[in-house]
Amino acid sequence: MNENTVNEENKRSLNFIEAIVENDIKEGLNDGRIQTRFPPEPNGYLHIGHAKAICMDFGIAQQYGGLCNLRFDDTNPSKEDVEYVDAIMEDIQWLGYQWENVFYASDYFPQLYDFAVQLIKEGKAYVDEQSAEVIAQQKGTPTQAGTDSPFRNRPMEENLDLFKKMNEGAFPEGSMVLRAKIDMASSNMHMRDPIIYRIIDHPHHRTGTTWKAYPMYDFAHGQSDYFEGVTHSLCTLEFVVHRPLYDWFIDQLATNAYRPHQYEFNRLNLTYTVMSKRKLLQLVQEGLVSGWDDPRMPTICGLRRRGYTPESIHNFIDRIGYTKYDGVNDIGLLEFAVREDLNKRVTRVSAVLDPVKLVLTNYPEGQTEQMEAQNNPEDENAGSHNILFSRELYIERDDFMEDAPKKYFRLTPGNEVRLKNAYIVKCTGCKKDENGNIVEVYAEYDANTRSGMPDSNRKVKGTIHWVSTEDCIDAEVRVYDRLFAVENPSEEKDKDFRELLNPDSLKVLKNCKLESYLKEAKPMDKFQFQRLGYFCVDTDSTADKLIFNRTVALKDSWSKEQKKQ
Ligand code: ATP
Ligand code: MG
């Protein structure tokens, strides 16, 4: 789609940013050039919210024959690290995108410094020696003008000298800042002499100890866009109020008609999780999850480890779309997207997570048969594989009930079920230990009901899955649930978000029995465990000890549970 036009058919589905871009191209703005950037701060791992921004930034460039750069917004050395830089690059590529160039805001520190000096010389910036608290108090309120700092009219030479010394490390952190001199009575609080430089006494992961004065986000972002030639600077709605300041700086800097323009779309918020990097970092640092890639995390690497595919994430983001209104998206929609994608592509296998033995008392001892199992009924080219059938099998513990209610269509004495891909069996009873726990279930098979036999089409109400005790492998299965127990953890302002974690978000099942077809499964391989859900091999898995993660259950059992309560 490397053309500067989009065909009429697609027009209907244009989001508002695409409409703006198409209009700009039509009007010949910037000679039709389209350039975007994705600007993460390398202070944490990317999450599903970032994926929404990535799809927008890279997507627009792709769609309109433009280019998208990756720019690390690395203006706060005390929080940033190369570990994050590397992880961010990996995640963007996994989502299927490739940047044109990698830039760092820190590459522009010299230009930004010079620009600050220019503003001082023009009487548009001054060094303020007041504390952050006093500066904040003087800002006023949206309906009340702010108060001028006593340093606002400091002579230009003095400002130049102090700013230079700030950067040389002559003053401690917090002792002074550089502020733009704009308008203390502006209706936009961000225009009331915003801080543009502060002192940070911490080595930077790229520039080391060269700088002691660091630009604020607002002073770095738009200018970086300008230096790079960005045409459409796409970000989230909380930056709407920053836009006048963005434009003001560019106006001071620009020498010709070119201007980058900022446009804002709604953030992605998801139910049952948090999206703030600060909170996610806290979960990691306090060991409340196993790491940034814990499969319960909303991070890209967490979702990847959980078994999500890039396609499922793209589908989800396409579905929720881009608007100008903030809201919260249902995590069920993300789960729906991965279920839909995996349904089309993964092999069906049999796995018993909570095994109990089923003995077919009329099946000859020592006899075995190979049963054909279709790999994927959704895909006729997917083929099939064999699964060994024998007299003793494992079935799920909850597929048997001694005293079952009427509508229980699984194994209960006197009841018939089909064993998936094999025979119809009739339950005859069970054996219990001294504590009343069921240790074996008994049934008789009907030899005429196997595929190809006369009664193979005989219908019974229930079908259950099984594996042969003679040909199965052991595995650990990690069953994940929502990370938080409440729908909108960020809204519960009076509680610490850590108290809202779901205590049952991880269940480790150590005694699972899988069909031997899974013996060679490698980390990240994905399967449907029949009747249970989608599972993928965890990165901790080894040939000796297979470990699976549950990506998502087959149906949305969660919302059903909620309705019952
Ligand atoms: P923090 O959580 O520390 O405030 P951030 O989420 O703003 O950080 P950045 O690294 O600054 O993270 O974000 C990079 C880009 O991703 C920005 O353009 C930002 O607007 C976008 N972005 C961040 N979070 C979301 C989200 N939840 N939905 C959509 N876009 C997002
Ligand atoms: Mg940010």
Side-chain angles (χ1 to χ4, degrees), residues 202-226:
H202 192 285
H204 187 281
H205 66 103
R206 286 175 57 83
T207 58
T209 54
T210 310
W211 304 88
K212 289 284 189 293
Y214 287 91
M216 299 296 288
Y217 169 87
D218 279 324
F219 194 69
H221 197 88
Q223 287 88 311
S224 303
D225 286 343
Y226 179 81

PDB file of all heavy atoms in Angstrom, residues 202-226:
ATOM      1  N   HIS A 202      22.545  12.425  37.966  1.00  0.00           N
ATOM      2  CA  HIS A 202      22.511  10.974  37.791  1.00  0.00           C
ATOM      3  C   HIS A 202      23.063  10.704  36.400  1.00  0.00           C
ATOM      4  O   HIS A 202      22.648  11.349  35.447  1.00  0.00           O
ATOM      5  CB  HIS A 202      21.057  10.493  37.899  1.00  0.00           C
ATOM      6  CG  HIS A 202      20.933   9.004  38.024  1.00  0.00           C
ATOM      7  ND1 HIS A 202      21.114   8.153  36.954  1.00  0.00           N
ATOM      8  CD2 HIS A 202      20.639   8.234  39.087  1.00  0.00           C
ATOM      9  CE1 HIS A 202      20.940   6.914  37.373  1.00  0.00           C
ATOM     10  NE2 HIS A 202      20.651   6.925  38.665  1.00  0.00           N
ATOM     11  N   PRO A 203      24.004   9.759  36.269  1.00  0.00           N
ATOM     12  CA  PRO A 203      24.565   9.532  34.927  1.00  0.00           C
ATOM     13  C   PRO A 203      23.489   9.084  33.933  1.00  0.00           C
ATOM     14  O   PRO A 203      22.570   8.353  34.302  1.00  0.00           O
ATOM     15  CB  PRO A 203      25.597   8.424  35.141  1.00  0.00           C
ATOM     16  CG  PRO A 203      25.649   8.131  36.591  1.00  0.00           C
ATOM     17  CD  PRO A 203      24.551   8.867  37.286  1.00  0.00           C
ATOM     18  N   HIS A 204      23.604   9.549  32.729  1.00  0.00           N
ATOM     19  CA  HIS A 204      22.648   9.190  31.670  1.00  0.00           C
ATOM     20  C   HIS A 204      23.155   7.940  30.958  1.00  0.00           C
ATOM     21  O   HIS A 204      24.357   7.791  30.750  1.00  0.00           O
ATOM     22  CB  HIS A 204      22.532  10.361  30.697  1.00  0.00           C
ATOM     23  CG  HIS A 204      21.456  10.184  29.671  1.00  0.00           C
ATOM     24  ND1 HIS A 204      21.627   9.390  28.556  1.00  0.00           N
ATOM     25  CD2 HIS A 204      20.198  10.689  29.613  1.00  0.00           C
ATOM     26  CE1 HIS A 204      20.504   9.427  27.838  1.00  0.00           C
ATOM     27  NE2 HIS A 204      19.625  10.205  28.457  1.00  0.00           N
ATOM     28  N   HIS A 205      22.214   7.041  30.558  1.00  0.00           N
ATOM     29  CA  HIS A 205      22.650   5.770  29.975  1.00  0.00           C
ATOM     30  C   HIS A 205      23.330   5.928  28.618  1.00  0.00           C
ATOM     31  O   HIS A 205      23.960   4.988  28.138  1.00  0.00           O
ATOM     32  CB  HIS A 205      21.474   4.774  29.881  1.00  0.00           C
ATOM     33  CG  HIS A 205      20.392   5.175  28.922  1.00  0.00           C
ATOM     34  ND1 HIS A 205      20.254   4.621  27.680  1.00  0.00           N
ATOM     35  CD2 HIS A 205      19.415   6.097  29.030  1.00  0.00           C
ATOM     36  CE1 HIS A 205      19.223   5.176  27.067  1.00  0.00           C
ATOM     37  NE2 HIS A 205      18.704   6.071  27.864  1.00  0.00           N
ATOM     38  N   ARG A 206      23.257   7.115  28.022  1.00  0.00           N
ATOM     39  CA  ARG A 206      23.969   7.338  26.758  1.00  0.00           C
ATOM     40  C   ARG A 206      24.999   8.457  26.837  1.00  0.00           C
ATOM     41  O   ARG A 206      26.067   8.363  26.243  1.00  0.00           O
ATOM     42  CB  ARG A 206      22.983   7.658  25.639  1.00  0.00           C
ATOM     43  CG  ARG A 206      22.220   6.430  25.179  1.00  0.00           C
ATOM     44  CD  ARG A 206      21.178   6.784  24.154  1.00  0.00           C
ATOM     45  NE  ARG A 206      21.709   7.459  22.987  1.00  0.00           N
ATOM     46  CZ  ARG A 206      22.264   6.841  21.958  1.00  0.00           C
ATOM     47  NH1 ARG A 206      22.366   5.548  21.950  1.00  0.00           N
ATOM     48  NH2 ARG A 206      22.731   7.530  20.930  1.00  0.00           N
ATOM     49  N   THR A 207      24.657   9.517  27.569  1.00  0.00           N
ATOM     50  CA  THR A 207      25.568  10.664  27.552  1.00  0.00           C
ATOM     51  C   THR A 207      26.418  10.751  28.825  1.00  0.00           C
ATOM     52  O   THR A 207      27.189  11.706  28.985  1.00  0.00           O
ATOM     53  CB  THR A 207      24.763  11.982  27.382  1.00  0.00           C
ATOM     54  OG1 THR A 207      23.828  12.085  28.452  1.00  0.00           O
ATOM     55  CG2 THR A 207      24.016  11.998  26.055  1.00  0.00           C
ATOM     56  N   GLY A 208      26.282   9.754  29.683  1.00  0.00           N
ATOM     57  CA  GLY A 208      27.122   9.701  30.885  1.00  0.00           C
ATOM     58  C   GLY A 208      26.935  10.914  31.773  1.00  0.00           C
ATOM     59  O   GLY A 208      25.806  11.276  32.114  1.00  0.00           O
ATOM     60  N   THR A 209      28.056  11.600  32.122  1.00  0.00           N
ATOM     61  CA  THR A 209      27.968  12.734  33.043  1.00  0.00           C
ATOM     62  C   THR A 209      28.171  14.069  32.323  1.00  0.00           C
ATOM     63  O   THR A 209      28.446  15.087  32.947  1.00  0.00           O
ATOM     64  CB  THR A 209      29.020  12.590  34.161  1.00  0.00           C
ATOM     65  OG1 THR A 209      30.301  12.404  33.533  1.00  0.00           O
ATOM     66  CG2 THR A 209      28.734  11.394  35.048  1.00  0.00           C
ATOM     67  N   THR A 210      28.037  14.044  30.983  1.00  0.00           N
ATOM     68  CA  THR A 210      28.233  15.271  30.211  1.00  0.00           C
ATOM     69  C   THR A 210      27.288  16.385  30.639  1.00  0.00           C
ATOM     70  O   THR A 210      27.662  17.553  30.673  1.00  0.00           O
ATOM     71  CB  THR A 210      27.991  14.990  28.705  1.00  0.00           C
ATOM     72  OG1 THR A 210      28.744  13.840  28.351  1.00  0.00           O
ATOM     73  CG2 THR A 210      28.405  16.165  27.833  1.00  0.00           C
ATOM     74  N   TRP A 211      26.032  15.989  30.928  1.00  0.00           N
ATOM     75  CA  TRP A 211      25.020  17.007  31.228  1.00  0.00           C
ATOM     76  C   TRP A 211      24.555  16.894  32.676  1.00  0.00           C
ATOM     77  O   TRP A 211      24.454  15.800  33.220  1.00  0.00           O
ATOM     78  CB  TRP A 211      23.804  16.834  30.307  1.00  0.00           C
ATOM     79  CG  TRP A 211      24.172  16.859  28.854  1.00  0.00           C
ATOM     80  CD1 TRP A 211      24.553  15.800  28.090  1.00  0.00           C
ATOM     81  CD2 TRP A 211      24.251  18.002  28.008  1.00  0.00           C
ATOM     82  NE1 TRP A 211      24.856  16.210  26.822  1.00  0.00           N
ATOM     83  CE2 TRP A 211      24.680  17.565  26.736  1.00  0.00           C
ATOM     84  CE3 TRP A 211      23.999  19.371  28.202  1.00  0.00           C
ATOM     85  CZ2 TRP A 211      24.856  18.429  25.665  1.00  0.00           C
ATOM     86  CZ3 TRP A 211      24.165  20.236  27.130  1.00  0.00           C
ATOM     87  CH2 TRP A 211      24.598  19.767  25.877  1.00  0.00           C
ATOM     88  N   LYS A 212      24.274  18.047  33.211  1.00  0.00           N
ATOM     89  CA  LYS A 212      23.669  18.073  34.551  1.00  0.00           C
ATOM     90  C   LYS A 212      22.279  18.710  34.484  1.00  0.00           C
ATOM     91  O   LYS A 212      21.436  18.489  35.341  1.00  0.00           O
ATOM     92  CB  LYS A 212      24.537  18.888  35.524  1.00  0.00           C
ATOM     93  CG  LYS A 212      25.848  18.197  35.892  1.00  0.00           C
ATOM     94  CD  LYS A 212      25.608  17.076  36.884  1.00  0.00           C
ATOM     95  CE  LYS A 212      26.880  16.505  37.442  1.00  0.00           C
ATOM     96  NZ  LYS A 212      27.700  15.786  36.447  1.00  0.00           N
ATOM     97  N   ALA A 213      22.080  19.521  33.443  1.00  0.00           N
ATOM     98  CA  ALA A 213      20.751  20.120  33.246  1.00  0.00           C
ATOM     99  C   ALA A 213      20.065  19.335  32.139  1.00  0.00           C
ATOM    100  O   ALA A 213      20.643  19.096  31.078  1.00  0.00           O
ATOM    101  CB  ALA A 213      20.885  21.586  32.864  1.00  0.00           C
ATOM    102  N   TYR A 214      18.863  18.879  32.425  1.00  0.00           N
ATOM    103  CA  TYR A 214      18.130  18.053  31.454  1.00  0.00           C
ATOM    104  C   TYR A 214      16.822  18.728  31.056  1.00  0.00           C
ATOM    105  O   TYR A 214      16.109  19.263  31.903  1.00  0.00           O
ATOM    106  CB  TYR A 214      17.833  16.679  32.059  1.00  0.00           C
ATOM    107  CG  TYR A 214      19.078  15.815  32.144  1.00  0.00           C
ATOM    108  CD1 TYR A 214      19.871  15.821  33.281  1.00  0.00           C
ATOM    109  CD2 TYR A 214      19.463  15.027  31.053  1.00  0.00           C
ATOM    110  CE1 TYR A 214      21.026  15.043  33.355  1.00  0.00           C
ATOM    111  CE2 TYR A 214      20.613  14.249  31.119  1.00  0.00           C
ATOM    112  CZ  TYR A 214      21.386  14.265  32.263  1.00  0.00           C
ATOM    113  OH  TYR A 214      22.522  13.503  32.317  1.00  0.00           O
ATOM    114  N   PRO A 215      16.497  18.671  29.737  1.00  0.00           N
ATOM    115  CA  PRO A 215      15.249  19.297  29.277  1.00  0.00           C
ATOM    116  C   PRO A 215      14.035  18.526  29.780  1.00  0.00           C
ATOM    117  O   PRO A 215      14.079  17.302  29.911  1.00  0.00           O
ATOM    118  CB  PRO A 215      15.356  19.201  27.759  1.00  0.00           C
ATOM    119  CG  PRO A 215      16.267  18.040  27.507  1.00  0.00           C
ATOM    120  CD  PRO A 215      17.235  18.007  28.661  1.00  0.00           C
ATOM    121  N   MET A 216      12.967  19.231  30.038  1.00  0.00           N
ATOM    122  CA  MET A 216      11.694  18.599  30.381  1.00  0.00           C
ATOM    123  C   MET A 216      11.100  17.994  29.113  1.00  0.00           C
ATOM    124  O   MET A 216      11.415  18.406  28.002  1.00  0.00           O
ATOM    125  CB  MET A 216      10.711  19.637  30.938  1.00  0.00           C
ATOM    126  CG  MET A 216      11.169  20.319  32.199  1.00  0.00           C
ATOM    127  SD  MET A 216      11.327  19.191  33.594  1.00  0.00           S
ATOM    128  CE  MET A 216       9.601  18.861  33.952  1.00  0.00           C
ATOM    129  N   TYR A 217      10.172  17.052  29.318  1.00  0.00           N
ATOM    130  CA  TYR A 217       9.484  16.416  28.186  1.00  0.00           C
ATOM    131  C   TYR A 217       8.984  17.453  27.175  1.00  0.00           C
ATOM    132  O   TYR A 217       9.240  17.350  25.976  1.00  0.00           O
ATOM    133  CB  TYR A 217       8.310  15.575  28.706  1.00  0.00           C
ATOM    134  CG  TYR A 217       7.401  15.111  27.603  1.00  0.00           C
ATOM    135  CD1 TYR A 217       7.664  13.929  26.910  1.00  0.00           C
ATOM    136  CD2 TYR A 217       6.301  15.887  27.203  1.00  0.00           C
ATOM    137  CE1 TYR A 217       6.851  13.530  25.861  1.00  0.00           C
ATOM    138  CE2 TYR A 217       5.494  15.490  26.161  1.00  0.00           C
ATOM    139  CZ  TYR A 217       5.775  14.318  25.487  1.00  0.00           C
ATOM    140  OH  TYR A 217       4.977  13.936  24.450  1.00  0.00           O
ATOM    141  N   ASP A 218       8.261  18.468  27.685  1.00  0.00           N
ATOM    142  CA  ASP A 218       7.659  19.448  26.786  1.00  0.00           C
ATOM    143  C   ASP A 218       8.696  20.244  25.991  1.00  0.00           C
ATOM    144  O   ASP A 218       8.395  20.742  24.915  1.00  0.00           O
ATOM    145  CB  ASP A 218       6.787  20.440  27.582  1.00  0.00           C
ATOM    146  CG  ASP A 218       5.420  19.861  27.901  1.00  0.00           C
ATOM    147  OD1 ASP A 218       4.885  19.122  27.061  1.00  0.00           O
ATOM    148  OD2 ASP A 218       4.897  20.161  28.993  1.00  0.00           O
ATOM    149  N   PHE A 219       9.876  20.359  26.553  1.00  0.00           N
ATOM    150  CA  PHE A 219      10.901  21.132  25.852  1.00  0.00           C
ATOM    151  C   PHE A 219      11.680  20.258  24.870  1.00  0.00           C
ATOM    152  O   PHE A 219      12.373  20.755  23.994  1.00  0.00           O
ATOM    153  CB  PHE A 219      11.866  21.793  26.840  1.00  0.00           C
ATOM    154  CG  PHE A 219      12.720  22.859  26.211  1.00  0.00           C
ATOM    155  CD1 PHE A 219      12.148  24.055  25.788  1.00  0.00           C
ATOM    156  CD2 PHE A 219      14.085  22.665  26.014  1.00  0.00           C
ATOM    157  CE1 PHE A 219      12.918  25.040  25.194  1.00  0.00           C
ATOM    158  CE2 PHE A 219      14.868  23.652  25.416  1.00  0.00           C
ATOM    159  CZ  PHE A 219      14.284  24.842  24.995  1.00  0.00           C
ATOM    160  N   ALA A 220      11.562  18.966  25.018  1.00  0.00           N
ATOM    161  CA  ALA A 220      12.326  18.056  24.149  1.00  0.00           C
ATOM    162  C   ALA A 220      11.472  17.485  23.026  1.00  0.00           C
ATOM    163  O   ALA A 220      11.944  17.277  21.915  1.00  0.00           O
ATOM    164  CB  ALA A 220      12.901  16.910  24.987  1.00  0.00           C
ATOM    165  N   HIS A 221      10.192  17.246  23.341  1.00  0.00           N
ATOM    166  CA  HIS A 221       9.415  16.423  22.417  1.00  0.00           C
ATOM    167  C   HIS A 221       9.147  17.089  21.068  1.00  0.00           C
ATOM    168  O   HIS A 221       9.515  16.574  20.022  1.00  0.00           O
ATOM    169  CB  HIS A 221       8.097  15.989  23.068  1.00  0.00           C
ATOM    170  CG  HIS A 221       7.483  14.858  22.333  1.00  0.00           C
ATOM    171  ND1 HIS A 221       7.786  13.550  22.618  1.00  0.00           N
ATOM    172  CD2 HIS A 221       6.657  14.839  21.266  1.00  0.00           C
ATOM    173  CE1 HIS A 221       7.148  12.773  21.761  1.00  0.00           C
ATOM    174  NE2 HIS A 221       6.456  13.530  20.940  1.00  0.00           N
ATOM    175  N   GLY A 222       8.516  18.257  21.120  1.00  0.00           N
ATOM    176  CA  GLY A 222       8.185  18.940  19.872  1.00  0.00           C
ATOM    177  C   GLY A 222       9.433  19.322  19.090  1.00  0.00           C
ATOM    178  O   GLY A 222       9.478  19.199  17.856  1.00  0.00           O
ATOM    179  N   GLN A 223      10.459  19.768  19.817  1.00  0.00           N
ATOM    180  CA  GLN A 223      11.693  20.164  19.142  1.00  0.00           C
ATOM    181  C   GLN A 223      12.334  18.969  18.454  1.00  0.00           C
ATOM    182  O   GLN A 223      12.847  19.073  17.347  1.00  0.00           O
ATOM    183  CB  GLN A 223      12.684  20.786  20.139  1.00  0.00           C
ATOM    184  CG  GLN A 223      12.298  22.178  20.598  1.00  0.00           C
ATOM    185  CD  GLN A 223      11.379  22.152  21.800  1.00  0.00           C
ATOM    186  OE1 GLN A 223      10.381  21.435  21.833  1.00  0.00           O
ATOM    187  NE2 GLN A 223      11.709  22.935  22.802  1.00  0.00           N
ATOM    188  N   SER A 224      12.292  17.798  19.113  1.00  0.00           N
ATOM    189  CA  SER A 224      12.849  16.600  18.481  1.00  0.00           C
ATOM    190  C   SER A 224      12.067  16.290  17.206  1.00  0.00           C
ATOM    191  O   SER A 224      12.648  15.945  16.176  1.00  0.00           O
ATOM    192  CB  SER A 224      12.764  15.404  19.439  1.00  0.00           C
ATOM    193  OG  SER A 224      13.431  15.700  20.647  1.00  0.00           O
ATOM    194  N   ASP A 225      10.743  16.427  17.287  1.00  0.00           N
ATOM    195  CA  ASP A 225       9.911  16.239  16.093  1.00  0.00           C
ATOM    196  C   ASP A 225      10.392  17.183  14.983  1.00  0.00           C
ATOM    197  O   ASP A 225      10.526  16.790  13.820  1.00  0.00           O
ATOM    198  CB  ASP A 225       8.438  16.560  16.398  1.00  0.00           C
ATOM    199  CG  ASP A 225       7.745  15.478  17.233  1.00  0.00           C
ATOM    200  OD1 ASP A 225       8.288  14.349  17.309  1.00  0.00           O
ATOM    201  OD2 ASP A 225       6.675  15.766  17.799  1.00  0.00           O
ATOM    202  N   TYR A 226      10.633  18.414  15.377  1.00  0.00           N
ATOM    203  CA  TYR A 226      11.038  19.431  14.413  1.00  0.00           C
ATOM    204  C   TYR A 226      12.410  19.096  13.797  1.00  0.00           C
ATOM    205  O   TYR A 226      12.576  19.131  12.588  1.00  0.00           O
ATOM    206  CB  TYR A 226      11.084  20.793  15.106  1.00  0.00           C
ATOM    207  CG  TYR A 226      11.527  21.917  14.205  1.00  0.00           C
ATOM    208  CD1 TYR A 226      10.631  22.521  13.325  1.00  0.00           C
ATOM    209  CD2 TYR A 226      12.848  22.375  14.241  1.00  0.00           C
ATOM    210  CE1 TYR A 226      11.039  23.549  12.493  1.00  0.00           C
ATOM    211  CE2 TYR A 226      13.261  23.408  13.410  1.00  0.00           C
ATOM    212  CZ  TYR A 226      12.354  23.997  12.535  1.00  0.00           C
ATOM    213  OH  TYR A 226      12.769  25.008  11.709  1.00  0.00           O
TER     214      TYR A 226
END
